[in-house]
Amino acid sequence: MRLELRDIHKSFGEKKVLTGVSFTARSGRAFGLLGRNGAGKTTSIRILMGVFPADSGAVLVDGEPIDYRKVGIGYLPEERGLYPKKKIIEQLVYFAQLKGMDTPAAVKSVDRWLERLGMAEYRNKRLDTLSKGNQQKIQLVTALAHDPEIVILDEPFSGLDPVNAMLLKDVVREEIARGKVVLFSSHQMSYIEEFCDSIAIINKGVVVLTGDLHEIKREYPRDRLAIRSADSGKIAAAFPGSAVNDSGELVVRLQNPGEKMAVLRRLSEEFDIDEVRVFEPSLNDIFVEYAGERE
C-alpha cells in the first residue's frame, strides 16, 4: 500500500495552516512526520484520517482517493481520550465496534491485545485505577484492535518506563513486519531514528524536507570522522579543530573528503584506535537545521 498526501492546503479563517503539504508512506515501513509545535503535523494527520477535509489537495491510497469504508486507520493520539470511570473491557470493545467489528470479534481481539501487552489482569478494572504507563497501553489497544492497515502513533512512548517502551517497540516492529503503514509523530528523535525509513519535516505548514532518512544523511558532506580511542587527547592535539560530540566520540574534520584514506592510515599507524567511522548527522541535528525559524 502507498499512502500519499498530495498538495494539501488548509486554512482556518485567515490563518494558513498547511501550504502544499505532500509526502508518501508505504506499507511495511515506518514513516516519521516531524515538526515543532504548531507546524501543522496534527492538522495533516486529521486530514489524513478524514476528521475534516482539506481546502485542496488529496489523500490517496495506491494513487486513488482514499475510501475510509475500505481502509482501516488506527490512531494513538498524543492527548489520551478514554473514559477514566468505565471498565476497560467495555470501552475497548465499544471503540472496536465503532470501527466496524461485531461484538464477538471485538471481544476476541481486545482480549488478545490485552494479553499481548500484559494487561489481561486489568480487563474488568476501571481505567483510573491504572498507572499512566498502563493507561497508555490501553489506549494503544484502541488503535490496534480492529487490525487497521494504517497505524498512526502520536508521541507513542510518552509516559512509558523502559520496560514498557521495549514492549511497545516490539509491537511496532510486529505491525511493520505485517505490512502495515506505520506513521510516527514525535519529538523524541531517537525513536524516530530507530524505526523510520523515511521522514517529512514540516515547518510553518510547509514540508521543508522529505525522503529516505539514510539517503538524506548520505547527502551531507562526508568530511568528518568519528573516533573512539584511548588516545583521544593525542588525536585532538594532532588534528586541531577536533571536538567531542554528545556520544563521547572525537569528531575530526577533514580538509576535504578526498584525504579520508590518508587520515585513516595515519590514525591506524600512530594511535590506538577502537573505532572509526564516517560521521553522519543525527536526526536531531537535521531536525534543528530544518525546523528552525523561517521567514
Side-chain angles (χ1 to χ4, degrees), residues 18 22 45 56 78-79 84 113 201 294:
L18 301 178
S22 299
I45 288 171
S56 62
E78 179 178 6
E79 297 296 330
W113 275 110
I201 297 177
R294 298 175 64 242

Side-chain angles (χ1 to χ4, degrees), residues 33-82:
L33 182 61
L34 309 176
R36 298 168 67 184
N37 292 332
K41 303 187 304 297
T42 299
T43 300
S44 299
I45 288 171
R46 288 174 177 170
I47 289 171
L48 188 164
M49 294 173 61
V51 174
F52 48 67
D55 296 336
S56 62
V59 180
L60 307 173
V61 170
D62 295 333
E64 299 294 331
I66 188 170
D67 185 342
Y68 293 103
R69 298 167 300 178
K70 297 179 179 178
V71 178
I73 297 177
Y75 178 44
L76 176 68
E78 179 178 6
E79 297 296 330
R80 313 314 177 200
L82 296 179

Side-chain angles (χ1 to χ4, degrees), residues 178-211:
R178 293 181 62 210
K180 305 295 183 71
V181 175
V182 177
L183 192 152
F184 276 93
S185 178
S186 179
H187 292 106
Q188 296 174 284
M189 297 298 148
S190 60
Y191 290 123
I192 297 291
E193 197 156 15
E194 180 176 354
F195 283 106
C196 294
D197 305 286
S198 302
I199 62 166
I201 297 177
I202 299 179
N203 193 356
K204 294 185 177 179
V206 177
V207 174
V208 292
L209 180 70
T210 188

Side-chain angles (χ1 to χ4, degrees), residues 138-203:
I138 296 301
Q139 184 85 54
L140 179 63
V141 177
T142 68
L144 300 177
H146 59 292
D147 197 23
E149 290 85 359
I150 299 168
V151 179
I152 301 171
L153 305 173
D154 195 351
E155 296 294 353
F157 295 96
S158 176
L160 294 183
D161 60 51
V163 173
N164 281 326
M166 183 63 68
L167 176 60
L168 178 54
K169 287 182 183 182
D170 291 341
V171 168
V172 170
R173 291 190 181 98
E174 289 166 8
E175 293 299 290
I176 293 170
R178 293 181 62 210
K180 305 295 183 71
V181 175
V182 177
L183 192 152
F184 276 93
S185 178
S186 179
H187 292 106
Q188 296 174 284
M189 297 298 148
S190 60
Y191 290 123
I192 297 291
E193 197 156 15
E194 180 176 354
F195 283 106
C196 294
D197 305 286
S198 302
I199 62 166
I201 297 177
I202 299 179
N203 193 356

Side-chain angles (χ1 to χ4, degrees), residues 6 13 19 23 52 64 87 99 121 129 141-142 146 159 175 190 192 212 219 226 237 243 249 262 264 273-275 287:
R6 181 181 295 176
T19 306
F23 59 81
F52 48 67
E64 299 294 331
K87 284 186 178 181
K99 299 296 180 63
E121 64 183 287
T129 64
V141 177
T142 68
H146 59 292
E175 293 299 290
S190 60
I192 297 291
D212 181 274
E219 290 174 0
E249 300 168 318
L264 287 172
I273 301 297
D274 296 321
E275 180 185 355
F287 179 81

